[in-house]
Amino acid sequence: MAQSKHLSNLEPWQDPKAQPYVSIKNITKTFGGRVAVNNVSLSIFRGELFSLLGRSGCGKTTLLRMLAGFESPTSGKIFIDGIDMTDTPAYKRPVSMVFQSYALFPHMTVEQNIAFGLIQEGLPKDEIRDRVNEYLELVQMSGYERRTPAQLSGGERQRVALARSLVKQPKLVLLDEPLAALDKKLRERTQLELVNIQEKVGVTFIMVSHDQEEAMTMSSRIGLMNEGRILQIGGPTEIYEYPNSKYVANFIGSVNLFDGIIVEEKFDHVIVKSTIIEKNLYITPSASVPVGAQISVAIRPEKVMLTDTQPDGEYNWTNGTVKDIVYLGDVSIYHVRLRSGAIVFATVTNSVRAAERPIQWDDEVFLYWKAENGIILAM
Ligand code: ATP
């Protein structure tokens, strides 16, 4: 998976001495009294592919547009490579933007589209030709020079748009939902191509997305936004495995949430009494939580195991009736209704054909999970 390449690189955000390439400091933007971006501070490092992720209207595009210089902040500062760019106009920033709708000139050929910015800069003809060829090759579009955008597929158009942005050798590329217009299959392929291109040229990418799978596949880190604020910043694995709130846990993938109260706290575990299941939960948390605290335990569906025999021990299991089996090809998601009425989801890998499955609709089943797979979240 593409993300592993990023994770194997050095992680500058772990190094307190590393200088961020982009620094967003206490940025707020209001439109007619309504807050779109609310006191956001963020550091992004050279060579990162950083995604701003969140629901429609959470403020991610507004933040990106302020980085590009298309919008000015109501308050706060933006630094790029250590230089205060807050009041610098868009055309003077070392930034290039790739839009969702490609924004190619329809009457120009692929070659003319890519060369456009370089001609405006007044570069010599030979250099323009060499640079255009180099970037056509980079996006694997050599041979398409004479076509117009109407003669290209959506994925090809987006690759030309990317080449047009990169050919000017910007230090920072901002991408506004760059793959949203592509169908699912093509989008998945283009995600990996984009990551490969970004790694080859080593330019910093900041991308806006509302698609969590896309952000997880492509990003070095993700900033998850809601209502103008950043709720959590972290690598894909960190955000998935250690969400810091119920909102983040629900937004990234699906999750089972067991609301409850801490009834025992020891140095290596806590015990949670939940209103949803009869057995208590025994969890090995990363932070200490006091007895009496109202919390929620999050357990991912793929960490919940299904069986038709009663598990041993007094913790971390429950039972119920299979109410639905959602078949997704490689896996199936079992919806199990507990006596309390709550539904728990369990993801099971389909190693046998559907008809041979040992557990079927309306079967009584047991669900269990490991102590280390529970995440304690504030209510
Ligand atoms: P989407 O995924 O739908 O593009 P988003 O997270 O990118 O959403 P923004 O476009 O940043 O959200 O918008 C954040 C909020 O600011 C929204 O409530 C939006 O209506 C508002 N907003 C954005 N631009 C303007 C504007 N020019 N004038 C007034 N309100 C605006």
Side-chain angles (χ1 to χ4, degrees):
M1 201 155 111
Q3 85 191 48
S4 60
K5 289 193 192 171
H6 282 290
L7 293 176
S8 63
N9 290 345
L10 275 178
E11 298 183 339
W13 52 92
Q14 309 275 23
D15 176 1
K17 279 186 270 160
Q19 288 298 317
Y21 184 59
V22 177
S23 276
I24 297 170
K25 295 197 171 159
N26 305 103
I27 285 287
T28 292
K29 176 72 185 176
T30 55
F31 292 107
R34 275 207 61 219
V35 182
V37 173
N38 195 345
N39 196 22
V40 166
S41 292
L42 189 59
S43 296
I44 294 164
F45 295 85
R46 206 180 286 273
E48 270 207 80
L49 198 163
F50 191 98
S51 291
L52 293 165
L53 176 66
R55 291 215 163 95
S56 179
C58 72
K60 50 197 190 302
T61 305
T62 304
L63 190 55
L64 198 76
R65 288 173 61 79
M66 287 191 279
L67 282 169
F70 298 147
E71 221 52 272
S72 345
T74 309
S75 60
K77 295 234 167 267
I78 291 170
F79 295 84
I80 300 176
D81 207 7
I83 300 166
D84 186 350
M85 292 269 160
T86 319
D87 301 316
T88 306
Y91 70 93
K92 285 194 177 161
R93 297 190 187 197
V95 168
S96 170
M97 189 130 169
V98 179
F99 296 94
Q100 187 185 117
S101 53
Y102 325 120
L104 296 175
F105 300 117
H107 57 285
M108 289 188 191
T109 63
V110 165
E111 195 173 33
Q112 289 165 339
N113 261 287
I114 300 175
F116 183 78
L118 304 181
I119 295 169
Q120 278 197 320
E121 279 176 26
L123 290 190
K125 267 197 175 145
D126 286 356
E127 192 179 337
I128 293 179
R129 201 196 44 235
D130 290 350
R131 286 254 286 266
V132 169
N133 286 339
E134 184 191 339
Y135 282 87
L136 272 170
E137 201 169 305
L138 179 75
V139 299
Q140 296 174 357
M141 289 296 288
S142 302
Y144 290 72
E145 293 81 345
R146 309 252 178 273
R147 295 211 199 169
T148 59
Q151 296 166 323
L152 300 175
S153 74
E156 290 162 353
R157 265 180 241 163
Q158 196 52 296
R159 297 217 295 268
V160 174
L162 188 66
R164 198 179 62 173
S165 291
L166 293 174
V167 80
K168 290 203 279 175
Q169 301 178 330
K171 292 181 181 168
L172 177 62
V173 178
L174 306 175
L175 304 105
D176 187 5
E177 307 242 12
L179 309 178
L182 309 183
D183 67 53
K184 188 169 160 41
K185 259 253 149 70
L186 184 58
R187 207 165 68 208
E188 284 170 0
R189 215 178 58 216
T190 315
Q191 284 166 6
L192 299 179
E193 286 174 4
L194 211 74
V195 172
N196 284 332
I197 292 169
Q198 188 256 347
E199 286 185 342
K200 254 190 224 159
V201 289
V203 175
T204 311
F205 274 26
I206 303 179
M207 182 178 88
V208 155
S209 178
H210 65 267
D211 178 338
Q212 54 112 354
E213 261 180 54
E214 183 164 292
M216 297 278 285
T217 308
M218 296 177 66
S219 316
S220 54
R221 285 187 306 156
I222 296 167
L224 198 134
M225 292 185 71
N226 186 37
E227 294 182 350
R229 291 179 189 275
I230 301 245
L231 298 187
Q232 188 171 0
I233 299 168
T237 319
E238 189 183 345
I239 288 215
Y240 187 79
E241 298 282 348
Y242 304 101
N244 65 2
S245 63
K246 275 170 92 165
Y247 184 90
V248 175
N250 265 317
F251 192 89
I252 305 277
S254 59
V255 73
N256 296 298
L257 290 167
F258 300 96
D259 290 349
I261 185 165
I262 306 274
V263 291
E264 180 178 310
E265 191 221 355
K266 289 277 151 52
F267 74 99
D268 63 345
H269 73 266
V270 294
I271 293 178
V272 177
K273 183 168 182 46
S274 170
T275 47
I276 294 170
I277 58 173
E278 282 135 45
K279 300 283 169 195
N280 286 348
L281 296 109
Y282 182 107
I283 306 293
T284 48
S286 50
S288 80
V289 194
V291 170
Q294 298 273 355
I295 50 92
S296 192
V297 178
I299 303 173
R300 297 286 183 195
E302 69 274 19
K303 303 277 169 37
V304 176
M305 284 155 291
L306 269 187
T307 172
D308 49 12
T309 48
Q310 182 173 324
D312 295 331
E314 55 173 317
Y315 299 114
N316 292 354
W317 63 268
T318 185
N319 59 325
T321 313
V322 175
K323 280 296 155 205
D324 225 334
I325 305 172
V326 179
Y327 178 72
L328 296 176
D330 51 347
V331 295
S332 291
I333 301 168
Y334 283 69
H335 298 198
V336 178
R337 180 176 296 145
L338 311 184
R339 203 177 304 165
S340 64
I343 301 279
V344 172
F345 303 110
T347 305
V348 176
T349 306
N350 288 326
S351 47
V352 293
R353 284 172 193 273
E356 298 163 22
R357 274 195 299 239
I359 297 173
Q360 296 288 358
W361 275 269
D362 293 326
D363 282 357
E364 287 296 314
V365 289
F366 296 90
L367 302 157
Y368 64 100
W369 52 88
K370 292 183 185 161
E372 67 264 30
N373 289 331
I375 309 151
I376 307 263
L377 301 173
M379 289 283 275

